[in-house]
């Protein structure tokens, strides 16, 4: 059986890895549409800020 | 003239969009908030009025409408669901969807519309736009379950939980909600390349407004008596 590593996406707000079962959301940056923004369930619920690393757009 | 008089504020010469001056936009009441301001909406409010109403920074409203237009155009308007449960936003949502090709849902949001594939009215949404997060909660809850991004028009008293892009603006006024959806439709069409920046749109803001029908006046008993005599 081969062993591999799985890279989990990181939340843009809290930088924690997002588990596959988590109700997270990901979308391309609304402003530049070049980077993918991941928001964990908790950060989304608490309305924590996210920032695009490419254009600097801050949401929500 | 006071700086708080919204009907007289703004410049008539400065154009926000072709055929829409800053003065005409502010006359719709787009920046009038509520006496309550939530922590998350603090960043979008400018100052409270002497009567206690919080005023929304409308420059940020226009900036966010532009960003939302880019977002909808990039995702594809055909994959976007626009929902309002409020009566006064119904015409604005319908016109927006007619112009951009988005899917509209008005009135009661049947639970399972996004989450139950067996429901006949099931919709596959890639992006959800709601007019008021307080009254359109069901659509937001289902979008959150599926991991679909949500754009919401938020007033000063709205909580921005589960929202990925906030458009600050007055979502209670008939004219204000019409102005927001008109600007959003314009921005979406311009960003998707179907409308030139200096080109006028098919509909004006007035056509995005929900018309209020006047109630028939109660019959005057004296008039009725005179009619019978004749």
């Amino acid at each position: 059986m081969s062993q591999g590593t799985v890279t989990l996406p990181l939340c843009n707000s809290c930088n924690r890895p997002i588990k596959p079962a988590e109700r997270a959301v990901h979308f391309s940056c609304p402003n530049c549409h070049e980077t993918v923004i991941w928001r964990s369930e908790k950060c989304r619920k608490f309305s924590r800020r996210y920032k695009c690393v490419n254009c600097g757009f801050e949401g929500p | 003239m006071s700086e708080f008089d919204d009907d007289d504020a703004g410049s008539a010469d400065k154009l926000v969009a072709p055929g829409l001056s800053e003065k005409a936009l502010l006359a719709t009441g787009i920046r009038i908030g509520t006496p309550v301001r939530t922590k998350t909406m603090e960043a979008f409010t400018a100052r409270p009025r002497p009567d206690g109403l919080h005023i929304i920074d409308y420059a940020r409203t226009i900036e966010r409408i532009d960003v939302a237009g880019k977002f909808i155009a990039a995702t594809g308007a055909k994959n976007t669901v626009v929902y309002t449960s409020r009566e006064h936003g119904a015409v604005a949502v319908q016109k927006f969807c007619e112009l951009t090709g988005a899917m509209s849902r008005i009135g009661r949001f049947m639970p399972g519309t996004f989450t139950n594939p067996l429901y006949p009215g099931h919709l596959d949404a890639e992006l959800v736009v709601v007019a008021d997060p307080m009254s359109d909660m069901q659509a937001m809850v289902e979008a959150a379950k599926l991991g679909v991004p949500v754009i919401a028009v938020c007033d000063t008293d709205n909580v921005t939980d589960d929202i990925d892009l906030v458009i600050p603006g007055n979502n209670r006024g008939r004219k204000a909600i019409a102005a927001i959806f008109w600007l959003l439709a314009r921005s979406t069409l311009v960003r998707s390349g179907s409308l030139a920046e200096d080109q006028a749109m098919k509909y004006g803001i007035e056509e995005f407004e929900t018309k209020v029908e006047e109630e028939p006046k109660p019959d005057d008993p004296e008039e009725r008596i005179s009619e019978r005599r004749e």
Side-chain angles (χ1 to χ4, degrees), chain B residues 170-208:
Chain B
N170 177 5
N171 58 17
R172 310 283 152 79
R174 227 165 19 90
K175 288 181 180 177
I177 201 82
I180 290 169
F181 274 99
W182 186 84
L183 287 168
L184 188 59
R186 183 173 175 78
S187 174
T188 308
L189 291 174
V190 168
R191 295 292 175 183
S192 59
S194 9
L195 191 76
E197 276 198 33
D198 54 346
Q199 202 181 337
M201 254 194 342
K202 191 181 168 189
Y203 298 118
I205 289 185
E206 297 79 31
E207 281 135 315
F208 271 62

Side-chain angles (χ1 to χ4, degrees), chain A residues 32-44:
Chain A
C32 67
H33 221 261
E34 283 184 13
T35 52
V36 176
I37 291 166
W38 280 86
R39 297 184 78 199
S40 68
E41 189 180 355
K42 215 168 179 179
C43 288
R44 206 175 177 219

Side-chain angles (χ1 to χ4, degrees), chain A residues 31 39 44 47 50 58 60, chain B residues 64 70 74 160-161 163-164:
Chain A
N31 195 33
R39 297 184 78 199
R44 206 175 177 219
S47 197
Y50 63 84
E58 278 189 33
Chain B
R64 281 303 177 96
K70 279 184 206 170
T160 59
D161 295 359
I163 296 171
D164 300 297

Side-chain angles (χ1 to χ4, degrees), chain B residues 78-99:
Chain B
K78 285 180 181 176
N79 307 321
T80 307
V81 174
V82 190
Y83 171 63
T84 182
S85 60
R86 287 182 183 251
E87 208 174 297
H88 62 235
V91 174
V93 168
Q94 277 170 343
K95 294 283 180 193
F96 174 86
C97 293
E98 188 191 323
L99 290 173

Side-chain angles (χ1 to χ4, degrees), chain B residues 2-62:
Chain B
S2 164
E3 62 170 328
F4 296 107
D5 292 340
D6 288 282
D7 290 345
D8 300 328
S11 165
D13 302 327
K14 192 181 170 188
L15 291 178
V16 178
L20 180 70
S21 67
E22 188 186 30
K23 192 182 173 82
L25 180 66
L26 292 180
T28 62
I30 196 169
R31 64 173 181 170
I32 308 290
T34 62
V36 181
R37 186 185 64 184
T38 57
K39 178 90 178 165
T40 44
M41 288 304 291
E42 222 173 63
F44 302 107
T45 52
R47 69 201 184 283
R49 234 166 43 165
D51 62 359
L53 290 178
H54 288 277
I55 299 295
I56 296 161
D57 184 1
Y58 88 95
R60 295 215 64 192
T61 306
I62 291 168

Side-chain angles (χ1 to χ4, degrees), chain A residues 18-29:
Chain A
I18 294 167
K19 291 163 197 166
E22 206 174 319
R23 279 175 183 170
V25 66
H26 70 280
F27 50 90
S28 298
C29 170

